[in-house]
Amino acid sequence: GAVVSQHPSWVICKSGTSVKIECRSLDFQATTMFWYRQFPKQSLMLMATSNEGSKATYEQGVEKDKFLINHASLTLSTLTVTSAHPEDSSFYICSARVGGSGANSPLHFGNGTRLTVT
Amino acid sequence: QKEVEQNSGPLSVPEGAIASLNCTYSDRVSQSFFWYRQYSGKSPELIMSIYSNGDKEDGRFTAQLNKASQYVSLLIRDSQPSDSATYLCAAVPGGQNFVFGPGTRLSVLP
């Protein structure tokens, strides 16, 4: 069964509004979660690493003030797309490593959130 | 720069054939390697992991790792149309963040 739960699975919003996406680890604690974005027919792009109890680490070119990440508990990380614009329309996927942070711990993905900004 | 390279495809094989997916990585300190399958419009799902040189078999899937050549492959035996998807190779340099390849699109023709 799923070990990472993501909600909502899809969302349509108007330009200028904000959207919050939730990512939960099921039956395990995740001190670190990862947020990816994927545009059509392109590869996964890591946006940021979410750390429980501390600030997220953003990849180069990702605006931290636009993509707000909060990792308030060991089982929940949220990504808020603020002032969304049509170019933010994409497939957002969260993930977490099951079994700790060791090299052999696999990454499991949530089902993803398809965001469409009109 | 840490990179993982894959042939983007599409790779087309007839039903029942063996599909061979290849991946190379640039960072020699990479210790762990993973294969993910991603259906169109869905998120990636883990197929296999491999950490040691040699072959690792799981059902119809066999992962092969050659650290000297910095090469990882995934063989799918008795390919089925349901195997048609994009396959992502990932390396983990030094136990840190996953580095994903661009993926190879596989099409199994009935």
Side-chain angles (χ1 to χ4, degrees):
Chain A
V3 296
V4 178
S5 175
Q6 188 172 341
H7 178 82
S9 56
W10 61 271
V11 59
I12 301 173
C13 71
K14 292 186 176 181
S15 186
T17 61
S18 296
V19 173
K20 180 186 283 188
I21 302 170
E22 291 187 349
C23 180
R24 295 181 184 274
S25 59
L26 306 178
D27 298 326
F28 73 100
Q29 295 180 337
T31 55
T32 304
M33 292 185 178
F34 304 89
W35 287 95
Y36 288 85
R37 178 170 56 183
Q38 187 176 39
F39 292 104
K41 299 190 185 301
Q42 295 189 24
S43 187
L44 292 171
M45 290 178 50
L46 180 63
M47 298 177 65
T49 300
S50 172
N51 303 298
E52 188 269 335
S54 65
K55 292 182 178 180
T57 304
Y58 291 82
E59 295 300 302
Q60 189 173 6
V62 178
E63 300 176 56
K64 62 180 182 180
D65 295 330
K66 180 171 182 63
F67 299 98
L68 301 179
I69 290 174
N70 185 283
H71 196 150
S73 77
L74 289 171
T75 58
L76 175 64
S77 175
T78 61
L79 168 68
T80 301
V81 183
T82 63
S83 186
H85 288 94
E87 57 265 31
D88 297 324
S89 298
S90 188
F91 192 43
Y92 293 84
I93 318 172
C94 72
S95 62
R97 300 184 78 167
V98 179
S101 59
N104 295 348
S105 299
L107 201 59
H108 284 267
F109 291 88
N111 288 333
T113 298
R114 187 159 304 282
L115 171 63
T116 302
V117 184
T118 61
Chain B
Q1 184 177 358
K2 304 179 178 67
E3 290 184 348
V4 174
E5 301 290 341
Q6 294 180 258
N7 188 324
S8 62
L11 172 66
S12 295
V13 299
E15 183 174 355
I18 295 175
S20 179
L21 304 163
N22 304 315
C23 170
T24 59
Y25 59 96
S26 62
D27 195 333
R28 285 192 170 275
V29 302
S30 295
Q31 302 172 18
S32 307
F33 305 87
F34 301 85
W35 282 100
Y36 288 83
R37 176 176 62 198
Q38 186 176 23
Y39 291 113
S40 181
K42 303 294 185 182
S43 65
E45 55 182 324
L46 179 68
I47 298 177
M48 287 191 70
S49 60
I50 187 165
Y51 317 119
S52 304
N53 279 328
D55 296 359
K56 179 181 179 182
E57 187 174 318
D58 184 0
R60 294 188 296 114
F61 299 97
T62 298
Q64 299 174 319
L65 173 60
N66 184 325
K67 291 186 178 181
S69 302
Q70 297 177 235
Y71 177 87
V72 192
S73 67
L74 179 69
L75 301 178
I76 306 175
R77 289 182 298 282
D78 188 23
S79 296
Q80 301 297 309
S82 58
D83 294 325
S84 298
T86 296
Y87 289 80
L88 302 171
C89 172
V92 186
Q96 300 302 316
N97 288 348
F98 279 53
V99 179
F100 283 90
T104 298
R105 190 155 53 94
L106 173 66
S107 178
V108 180
L109 308 175

